[in-house]
Amino acid sequence: MIRLAVILLISLLAPKALADSANLRAEMQRLVSKGNAEYDRSNRRGITLYADSLRNLLVANEICGNDSVEFWGHWNKLVGDWYYENGNFEVESFPVSERYFMASLGLFDGASFLQGSLTASPVIHRELAQLYYRLGEYSKALEHTELALNAYQQAYELQEFDDTYNVDLYTTYLDLQAQLAMCHARTGLVEKALEEINALIDAFPKGSERYLETLRKKAKIVMLSGAGDCKVQALPLYREYLNFKQKDAIDGLAGMTRVEREDYWMRVRPFVADCYLLEEVDPGFLYDVTMFAKGLLLQLSQMSQQQAVNTLKYSWRQVQQRLRKDACAIEFVQYAMADGSQHLGALVLGKTGAPKWVYISAADSLSNRKVEGQPLAKRLQSTSGVYHTPIYADSLLASTIWNAQMVKAIGDAKRVYFAPDGMLHQLAIEYFTPEAIAEKELYRLTSTRRLLQPASTPRGAALLAGGVNYDQSAEETSSSINDAQAYDYLHKLNAKFTYLPGTQQECDSVVVARHCAQDIVLNGSDVTEEAFRSLCGQYPLVAISTHGYFAAPTAPMGTDIKPCYSDESLSQSVIALAGVNKSLNDNTFEAVNPDGLLSAKELSEIDMSGVDLAILSACQTGLGHVTADGVYGMQRGLKNAGVGAMVLSLWNVDDEATARLMSEFHKNLASGMTTHDAFVAARKEIPKITKTIRRKSYGTDRLRGDNIIHPFDEPQYTHAFILIDAIE
């Protein structure tokens, strides 16, 4: 039925023009090749570009005979590729991907002149295998991998390619062999998988990148075996891989483009996720893996500088040396088991001794936990503070995260530095703790590696912005490249940002509190991309109050057989600036131009290394739900830009409470307090705000006294903001 529908589609598309057949065929082959390359990079936008271009050529020109069948087959494959990648964000896309792959396969298999072509049917079998592997249908994945590999094996034996002739085909051939081993491991044939992966390891020069990548896959197969000593067996393999990656990164990252560095991180990410399955076997090793991974993640934009690259050598021992005698450091981690279930654990480092592993809970168990009748996950995703308040009254939830094992590992430490992960990015866990650690000082960090970096408190002038006019802006003349993906997301949502009068009030209160003549204040139509970009790196303190949209899904990790090289989450965390409504509602707008949206990705490319503190008072738009990677996306963007400490909101904030918080915070900073102490003191003022409710009089009977209330003493007001990376 699918094949018939595709053939009917072809017959209905009447040829529009004649073109030189040789040149036309060459151009279509180029588009197919480019589209395939974009699939290998997991770039949905790129796949769309080349698939649409191919379709337009097929429709506009007289394509008949073999070329018609062949290139419509390629088009179906590219569309299937797009839906496969989109499945990382919307699982409903996976069945659609399968239909397009099958349609493509039907065209190629039905054309005798194409049978045996290594660029047609075998490649589709490979991608079907990748799809079924992603869905956990490992027997189907094995079947299609064998079909693809048989064709490559035959061509290899006929000497149609080798490691010097058509290297791309040879690489695909080796990848398929590794893919076969992973499929065998997933279907329970572990011994067979180990034989196959060992043969591949022996085929590569020891110490080469291909050798180490294959070694990592062997470690995964060992872990999949589930043998009693599998973690012990896998540990030395993972150690060797980490040593290689650290040296490789230090030697090469500074010379890479940003895209190459992003690809590099995405290749490392599955290794990091796999390592956490080792759990208690060697917490010190896992701590070092975390230091390396977060060094890459939080400094990708700075990796053109050798100084930043050298920080990838940080280890737990160096962090320990920086700890005060009465302090400890905690790296929370969220990781996936072999069955795909998510779990939470933590690596706790004291002033003496090695790090300790603490298991916390299955993440799904926490997410599904009912808080006043609603699952925790649903409450966390809400942009309304009302839905968050009950979370912070749940003592059992607090004692699950800060469990007895954690309390024991923390011991007598009075100061606790912690870096959240996964769903914990959405929880202000520093504001709800069990009694055993209630009196300790908690410092939230993006990574405990922050302890190895200079501390700073903002002094001097500030850049302040608020009261943004989203409908109009001052003339934009910036030639900077816009984040087109960010624009696409919001444009498709038909987004419209309403004026926030409270942000002007907040900005004004900060101006009064600071009383600094050197401050620069942007309001209304002047809060443009160009103005913010050009000024935000020049001041030690930057504070902007505006709309935000932080709804990035969890960044896709790919699978053991299909890496994912594209991380779009930084484009799905944005703040709105002047004129954004005008560009979003213009269907002719070209997204390469400034659009009034500043994404975390764009922020990451600005030099803000001189900014000691960035305050982002951004109300969520309500266009989508808030996610962990959405919240973390803005943090990543600012850290990649070089910002020291940050203040961010977790949900929509109240105008009056926020204005008071920020006013007190800036007064405290101006008085000489450290950033951490100034923020803690400012938060304590919010519950003290009072309002007087006047009593009414009825005839000669007058009710005595007025009613004085404290309207902002609930967590929705007091817990809305978090301070990150403020160290002394």
Side-chain angles (χ1 to χ4, degrees):
M1 182 65 71
I2 295 171
R3 179 182 170 194
L4 177 61
V6 174
I7 293 174
L8 285 174
L9 172 65
I10 297 170
S11 66
L12 291 172
L13 297 174
K16 302 297 182 182
L18 286 172
D20 180 84
S21 60
N23 290 338
L24 181 60
R25 180 175 176 80
E27 175 60 14
M28 290 192 296
Q29 286 176 327
R30 185 188 73 84
L31 294 174
V32 170
S33 177
K34 291 286 189 180
N36 289 339
E38 294 299 331
Y39 170 67
D40 289 338
R41 285 201 61 249
S42 313
N43 186 349
R44 291 183 298 165
R45 188 178 178 87
I47 295 170
T48 299
L49 172 66
Y50 294 111
D52 287 350
S53 298
L54 178 61
R55 183 183 183 280
N56 291 339
L57 278 181
L58 285 164
V59 171
N61 295 276
E62 184 175 349
I63 310 295
C64 58
N66 295 344
D67 282 351
S68 176
V69 176
E70 179 179 356
F71 286 105
W72 278 112
H74 284 303
W75 177 80
N76 273 274
K77 188 196 87 70
L78 288 175
V79 176
D81 289 341
W82 186 91
Y83 276 104
Y84 173 89
E85 295 300 340
N86 196 60
N88 288 314
F89 306 93
E90 301 174 25
V91 294
E92 297 83 3
S93 289
F94 286 130
V96 183
S97 175
E98 181 185 27
R99 291 199 294 272
Y100 275 100
F101 284 150
M102 286 298 188
S104 178
L105 196 60
L107 286 172
F108 285 123
D109 284 349
S112 59
F113 67 94
L114 283 172
Q115 287 183 353
S117 169
L118 289 178
T119 59
S121 298
V123 174
I124 301 166
H125 282 300
R126 179 195 68 171
E127 286 165 33
L128 272 167
Q130 293 167 351
L131 171 64
Y132 290 130
Y133 195 98
R134 178 68 173 77
L135 294 173
E137 299 179 31
Y138 300 119
S139 294
K140 285 186 178 180
L142 176 60
E143 175 189 348
H144 285 279
T145 298
E146 289 175 334
L147 287 169
L149 188 56
N150 287 342
Y152 277 84
Q153 179 69 36
Q154 183 179 4
Y156 182 74
E157 290 172 353
L158 292 173
Q159 298 182 334
E160 293 180 8
F161 64 86
D162 57 27
D163 60 346
T164 57
Y165 172 69
N166 208 327
V167 177
D168 289 341
L169 288 178
Y170 183 71
T171 300
T172 302
Y173 173 56
L174 296 176
D175 287 342
L176 279 168
Q177 291 182 53
Q179 180 169 311
L180 183 69
M182 296 307 305
C183 288
H184 278 142
R186 290 287 188 178
T187 53
L189 301 174
V190 175
E191 292 303 320
K192 189 174 182 62
L194 286 172
E195 287 179 17
E196 291 164 343
I197 208 72
N198 282 332
L200 269 178
I201 290 172
D202 292 340
F204 299 119
K206 189 170 184 179
S208 67
E209 183 172 4
R210 295 300 294 244
Y211 171 87
L212 271 301
E213 289 291 346
T214 312
L215 207 65
R216 181 183 69 80
K217 291 177 180 176
K218 177 181 177 179
K220 183 61 176 285
I221 292 172
V222 169
M223 292 292 290
L224 287 172
S225 73
D229 63 345
C230 65
K231 294 179 182 180
V232 175
Q233 288 186 51
L235 178 59
L237 303 177
Y238 283 135
R239 278 188 184 282
E240 190 171 351
Y241 185 82
L242 176 63
N243 291 337
F244 162 73
K245 274 299 175 185
Q246 283 180 314
K247 184 178 185 304
D248 183 56
I250 291 169
D251 290 344
L253 275 173
M256 293 182 187
T257 65
R258 178 183 172 82
V259 171
E260 289 170 339
R261 292 197 295 270
E262 183 178 285
D263 287 353
Y264 190 92
W265 157 244
M266 294 302 284
R267 289 198 300 273
V268 169
R269 199 164 182 249
F271 155 71
V272 176
D274 286 349
C275 281
Y276 290 131
L277 294 174
L278 297 172
E279 297 179 318
E280 74 290 343
V281 172
D282 190 341
F285 169 69
L286 294 187
Y287 209 111
D288 287 349
V289 168
T290 305
M291 293 293 96
F292 176 64
K294 289 193 173 181
L296 280 174
L297 185 64
L298 299 172
Q299 294 189 164
L300 271 179
S301 295
Q302 303 165 42
M303 289 298 177
S304 57
Q305 305 165 13
Q306 197 61 46
Q307 182 181 5
V309 173
N310 288 337
T311 66
L312 297 177
K313 293 184 289 188
Y314 285 166
S315 70
W316 68 265
R317 295 182 187 279
Q318 291 170 286
V319 174
Q320 188 176 63
Q321 288 174 0
R322 287 292 182 92
L323 286 174
R324 300 186 344 176
K325 290 182 179 180
D326 61 348
C328 73
I330 304 173
E331 286 284 353
F332 286 95
V333 295
Q334 184 165 324
Y335 59 104
M337 293 298 219
D339 62 1
S341 62
Q342 295 286 316
H343 293 257
L344 282 167
L347 297 157
V348 185
L349 177 65
K351 183 59 180 175
T352 60
K356 299 179 180 66
W357 170 261
V358 174
Y359 178 76
I360 296 173
S361 171
D364 290 341
S365 176
L366 278 184
S367 296
N368 296 327
R369 174 183 171 76
K370 293 292 182 65
V371 178
E372 289 194 1
Q374 281 192 329
L376 174 63
K378 186 174 182 179
R379 289 189 178 276
L380 288 178
Q381 291 171 353
S382 174
T383 59
S384 172
V386 174
Y387 289 95
H388 291 258
T389 286
I391 296 172
Y392 296 93
D394 191 331
S395 58
L396 187 57
L397 177 62
S399 61
T400 299
I401 296 171
W402 301 102
N403 61 29
Q405 189 182 357
M406 177 77 75
V407 171
K408 182 179 179 181
I410 291 172
D412 296 330
K414 296 179 181 178
R415 178 172 294 187
V416 179
Y417 298 101
F418 74 94
D421 192 25
M423 64 181 295
L424 298 186
H425 287 304
Q426 297 168 273
L427 273 169
I429 60 175
E430 58 268 53
Y431 301 153
F432 73 123
T433 56
E435 186 177 349
I437 58 172
E439 300 303 316
K440 298 182 186 295
E441 293 182 342
L442 274 70
Y443 287 67
R444 176 182 285 251
L445 308 177
T446 48
S447 166
T448 57
R449 71 196 312 276
R450 172 76 173 112
L451 296 169
L452 297 169
Q453 299 164 342
S456 57
T457 298
R459 303 292 184 221
L463 171 65
L464 310 172
V468 180
N469 185 337
Y470 303 110
D471 295 314
Q472 297 293 331
S473 69
E475 190 67 26
E476 289 275 18
T477 59
S478 174
S479 60
S480 60
I481 298 175
N482 190 57
D483 185 350
Q485 282 187 327
Y487 177 85
D488 287 348
Y489 292 131
L490 274 296
H491 180 67
K492 288 174 182 176
L493 288 170
N494 296 315
K496 183 175 177 61
F497 297 92
T498 57
Y499 180 69
L500 297 172
T503 64
Q504 184 65 62
Q505 175 191 352
E506 179 185 334
C507 188
D508 291 343
S509 70
V510 172
V511 170
V512 172
R514 287 182 52 78
H515 194 62
C516 178
Q518 288 73 43
D519 287 351
I520 295 294
V521 183
L522 298 176
N523 297 131
S525 299
D526 294 324
V527 194
T528 63
E529 271 195 77
E530 181 184 11
F532 192 80
R533 284 175 182 272
S534 63
L535 294 171
C536 67
Q538 300 179 30
Y539 296 86
L541 192 155
V542 175
I544 181 169
S545 183
T546 182
H547 273 298
Y549 177 69
F550 311 144
T554 300
M557 291 246 318
T559 68
D560 304 314
I561 68 172
K562 172 62 172 75
C564 182
Y565 294 140
S566 180
D567 179 5
E568 300 178 12
S569 59
L570 290 183
S571 295
Q572 293 171 290
S573 297
V574 301
I575 55 174
L577 302 179
V580 62
N581 287 338
K582 185 177 180 181
S583 62
L584 284 177
N585 294 304
D586 181 358
N587 289 326
T588 65
F589 183 80
E590 295 184 7
V592 294
N593 300 315
D595 54 11
L597 288 170
L598 195 61
S599 71
K601 180 179 180 181
E602 289 172 299
L603 272 172
S604 73
E605 296 169 351
I606 301 173
D607 182 5
M608 298 178 70
S609 55
V611 177
D612 296 319
L613 174 64
I615 302 172
L616 189 58
S617 179
C619 285
Q620 313 296 326
T621 64
L623 294 171
H625 56 258
V626 182
T627 66
D629 267 45
V631 173
Y632 192 41
M634 196 54 67
Q635 297 177 40
R636 284 175 53 195
L638 290 169
K639 293 311 292 187
N640 269 277
V643 168
M646 302 168 280
V647 172
L648 302 175
S649 58
L650 291 175
W651 53 80
N652 285 352
V653 294
D654 177 85
D655 292 344
E656 185 177 348
T658 301
R660 178 66 174 269
L661 173 71
M662 295 304 170
S663 176
E664 292 293 331
F665 183 33
H666 286 280
K667 283 180 184 177
N668 295 340
L669 286 173
S671 72
M673 295 174 68
T674 66
T675 303
H676 181 269
D677 290 348
F679 185 75
V680 170
R683 281 189 63 246
K684 290 179 179 178
E685 294 300 311
I686 304 306
K688 298 178 183 178
I689 300 174
T690 60
K691 283 188 177 181
T692 302
I693 308 298
R694 297 293 179 187
R695 300 282 190 179
K696 291 183 178 180
S697 298
Y698 298 94
T700 58
D701 295 326
R702 183 179 297 274
L703 296 176
R704 295 180 180 179
D706 295 324
N707 187 22
I708 299 176
I709 63 171
H710 295 269
F712 303 122
D713 59 354
E714 294 289 331
Q716 69 188 81
Y717 307 110
T718 58
H719 295 10
F721 286 92
I722 52 175
L723 174 65
I724 309 162
D725 280 347
I727 58 174
E728 300 172 13

